[in-house]
Amino acid sequence: MNEFRYERAADAAAATQLGAHPAAKYLGGGTNLVDLMRENLERPGVLVDVTGLSAAIEEQAGGGLLIGAAARNTAVAEHRAVRERYPVLSRAILNGASGQIRNMATVGGNVLQRTRCTYFYDDDGARCNKRTPGQGCDALGGFNRIHAILGASDHCVATHPSDMCVALVALDAVVHLDGPNGARALPLVDLHRLPGDTPNVETNLHPGELITAVELPALPLARQSTYRKVRDRASYAFALVSVAAAVDVADDGTVRDARIALGGVAHKPWRASKAEAALRGRPATAAHFRAAAEAELADARPLRDNGFKVELAKRTITAVLQELTGVDA
Ligand SMILES: Cc1cc2nc3c(=O)[nH]c(=O)nc-3n(C[C@H](O)[C@H](O)[C@H](O)COP(=O)(O)OP(=O)(O)OC[C@H]3O[C@@H](n4cnc5c(N)ncnc54)[C@H](O)[C@@H]3O)c2cc1C
Ligand code: SF4
């Protein structure tokens, strides 16, 4: 580990002032950043501890919730309003990491955690364009079972690891930011980037920008929402494929509205807009759910070892929609 200075920020104003230092990194629970520092993959000169920022979960005038960036993952998952009105978010969080990590991890840090591509971590033995731009990507011709099938490029095929973000994207969450140029809000779906030819640029954050909160808009259909994660082990494993979904079926049995997002398939939490469009106005049947999944995965480009993810994603989307609507196969 390199030498660094530690500063604790009392509030967002102090944090952004300290974070303006070019070598600064914000520190949430440290469950990802400290690991990356130990591996020498992150080398901040100043660590700005932002766990003193708001951790409150507050009701909004329009019926949504504002979750402070310093809220711990466990607190969000267990919050009564989240469990009742946004169960998909509670379930996504509880499907991630372990109890101890969830007790430490913060909302801001979970959103900005880095990929789990094994070649990215292998600084001594593997080439990685994300770690060292222009170096090449050993995952492309290597063992790429856990890598992306949607939206990838010849420069990077890594996936985004967060479960929470998949639910947040399905819920149309908005990220509140503060930084050297003032405060702004960004839909979470626009925060993370696809890799293109600059996989080292992972988000649309401006330098020094801080996440202050995540807002969940009022979304009545989210009461009928859930999260399903398919992984190699029952716990302590990242998603091979995950599905966050909410669905509203009218009395005549047609789908009035649906929200779907996928994890484990792309460089960012993947909003399944094509599947949603294919569902709206159609009868809620297993055949239509499968057709919606087919529409979403039509552009999938599997690699040597992860072709199974295409069928897995289709089946998981279909199964989750059946579970939410009570429709039999
Ligand atoms: C063994 C293990 C298993 C795991 N399994 C899962 C899993 O299955 N699913 C899953 O989703 N996650 C999993 N995780 C990841 C875990 O959820 C993340 O490590 C955690 O959410 C990061 O939160 P943190 O607060 O500790 O972030 P930190 O490690 O403190 O920070 C992570 C990043 O966010 C930045 N940051 C932190 N707060 C802010 C802020 N307010 N504004 C701007 N930048 C900020 C930091 O600078 C850093 O770049 C696992 C982790 C471990 C170690
Ligand atoms: S997939 Fe991306 S993160 Fe993994 S080695 Fe290639 S460039 Fe690096």
Side-chain angles (χ1 to χ4, degrees):
M1 229 191 235
N2 287 13
E3 273 193 27
F4 58 88
R5 195 174 90 230
Y6 171 86
E7 302 273 3
R8 185 171 159 84
D11 54 27
T16 51
Q17 210 169 14
L18 291 161
H21 190 289
K25 283 291 283 190
Y26 296 119
L27 177 73
T31 62
N32 187 216
L33 181 55
V34 174
D35 277 356
L36 292 166
M37 289 168 66
R38 279 200 207 101
E39 300 288 337
N40 244 339
L41 297 171
E42 296 269 18
R43 300 176 190 87
V46 186
L47 268 192
V48 182
D49 185 335
V50 291
T51 53
L53 266 61
S54 172
I57 300 176
E58 295 169 296
E59 291 286 346
Q60 295 293 90
L65 290 179
L66 190 71
I67 305 174
R72 306 285 178 176
N73 287 188
T74 301
V76 179
E78 290 181 351
H79 194 274
R80 189 174 176 157
V82 175
R83 282 192 286 125
E84 287 179 5
R85 283 151 51 188
Y86 307 94
V88 62
L89 178 57
S90 183
R91 289 186 188 142
I93 294 170
L94 294 175
N95 268 282
S98 64
Q100 290 94 331
I101 292 169
R102 294 194 295 270
N103 289 344
M104 285 297 289
T106 61
V107 165
N110 189 298
V111 169
L112 292 177
Q113 63 175 290
R114 313 267 327 258
T115 184
R116 294 285 159 165
C117 171
T118 42
Y119 298 97
F120 169 70
Y121 276 83
D122 185 6
D123 194 16
D124 296 329
R127 293 174 307 149
C128 171
N129 286 324
K130 189 183 283 298
R131 213 179 46 227
T132 313
Q135 190 180 49
C137 166
D138 275 344
L140 278 171
F143 184 54
N144 41 39
R145 180 173 180 274
I146 63 169
H147 291 78
I149 53 171
L150 288 165
S153 74
D154 288 345
H155 300 272
C156 179
V157 290
T159 54
H160 193 270
S162 167
D163 291 296
M164 177 193 282
C165 285
V166 184
L168 291 176
V169 161
L171 294 171
D172 289 327
V174 172
V175 193
H176 290 246
L177 304 168
D178 205 349
N181 298 321
R184 66 180 177 128
L186 193 65
L188 188 93
V189 72
D190 296 331
L191 177 70
H192 302 99
R193 293 163 59 106
L194 290 178
D197 57 5
T198 53
N200 53 311
V201 186
E202 295 175 342
T203 69
N204 288 317
L205 289 179
H206 301 150
E209 256 184 336
L210 170 79
I211 297 178
T212 54
V214 170
E215 185 179 350
L216 302 180
L219 193 66
L221 87 158
R223 285 182 183 268
Q224 289 84 47
S225 66
T226 195
Y227 187 75
R228 191 177 294 192
K229 175 175 178 178
V230 185
R231 50 187 159 174
D232 283 325
R233 290 187 308 272
S235 73
Y236 227 49
F238 290 87
L240 292 168
V241 166
S242 67
V243 175
V247 67
D248 178 21
V249 178
D251 289 343
D252 67 359
T254 57
V255 175
R256 204 160 20 211
D257 202 359
R259 297 283 193 288
I260 305 174
L262 308 177
V265 296
H267 202 250
K268 58 186 284 183
W270 187 263
R271 182 70 182 261
S273 316
K274 289 178 184 160
E276 291 174 5
L279 285 169
R280 284 193 194 104
R282 295 270 171 80
T285 63
H288 283 126
F289 297 160
R290 173 76 192 192
E294 301 268 3
E296 191 61 48
L297 273 299
D299 294 333
R301 296 283 172 273
L303 303 160
R304 189 192 68 192
D305 304 312
N306 68 1
F308 73 96
K309 282 193 180 187
V310 180
E311 181 60 22
L312 187 60
K314 290 178 187 174
R315 290 188 191 199
T316 312
I317 293 170
T318 309
V320 166
L321 292 172
Q322 284 184 241
E323 179 190 329
L324 284 172
T325 56
V327 166
D328 290 333

